[in-house]
């Protein structure tokens, strides 16, 4: 369902953008719990988006570190 994916991903992006400002790198778990009280389906899609975005961030940092090492 496109609406489900869009809503979950938009929320995930906003929550991840707020993590540093909030100083709580696990804040997304609180949001997931809150969402899940009304919609377990949205909760799972949100968590999938969070996991994908966190994995992409980690992969990008690994790539950037490796390139920085090679480049000097």
């Amino acid at each position: 369902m496109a609406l489900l994916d869009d809503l979950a991903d938009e929320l995930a992006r906003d929550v991840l953008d707020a993590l540093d400002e909030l100083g709580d790198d696990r804040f997304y778990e609180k949001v997931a719990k809150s969402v899940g009280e009304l919609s377990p389906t949205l909760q799972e899609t949100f968590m999938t988006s969070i996991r994908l975005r966190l994995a992409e961030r980690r992969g990008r940092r690994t790539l950037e570190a490796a390139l920085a090492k090679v480049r000097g």
Side-chain angles (χ1 to χ4, degrees), residues 34-64:
S34 176
V35 168
E37 291 173 1
L38 290 176
S39 176
T41 304
L42 181 58
Q43 178 189 39
E44 184 54 39
T45 306
F46 167 74
M47 286 304 296
T48 297
S49 186
I50 287 285
R51 287 188 296 267
L52 288 170
R53 290 183 173 279
L54 287 173
E56 188 273 340
R57 281 184 179 185
R58 181 180 285 181
R60 187 163 304 281
R61 287 183 188 136
T62 301
L63 171 62
E64 290 169 356

Side-chain angles (χ1 to χ4, degrees), residues 6-46:
D6 291 346
L7 289 173
D9 194 52
E10 183 176 352
L11 181 58
R13 278 187 275 123
D14 292 345
V15 168
L16 288 175
D17 287 345
L19 291 183
D20 291 335
E21 186 174 342
L22 295 169
D24 181 357
D25 64 347
R26 305 297 275 186
F27 180 72
Y28 64 87
E29 293 173 347
K30 294 174 189 172
V31 175
K33 183 177 180 185
S34 176
V35 168
E37 291 173 1
L38 290 176
S39 176
T41 304
L42 181 58
Q43 178 189 39
E44 184 54 39
T45 306
F46 167 74

